[in-house]
Amino acid sequence: MLATGSSDPSSAIWDTSNQTIIHKWDAHTEVVWALDFSPNDKRLASASADGNVMM
């Protein structure tokens, strides 16, 4: 899996074996700056220019 953030407020999780998006969402209102998986890979945190961290 690969998580990506974007200059629009979207984030996505990709299946790298076939280069397809597994899940995409718009959790923020500004650019996504950072993403990090939890140690067990069950959660993804995202941080944005809107000043919020989402899980």
Side-chain angles (χ1 to χ4, degrees):
M1 287 189 301
L2 172 71
T4 58
S6 182
S7 59
D8 65 13
S10 69
S11 300
I13 297 177
W14 296 77
D15 180 339
T16 57
S17 67
N18 60 13
Q19 300 175 348
T20 58
I21 294 176
I22 298 169
H23 187 75
K24 183 176 179 181
W25 65 99
D26 296 320
H28 296 283
T29 59
E30 298 287 334
V31 62
V32 176
W33 282 340
L35 297 164
D36 194 18
F37 283 105
S38 64
N40 65 1
D41 292 332
K42 301 268 184 199
R43 297 185 128 197
L44 179 68
S46 58
S48 169
D50 64 13
N52 294 306
V53 173
M54 307 294 275
M55 290 181 87

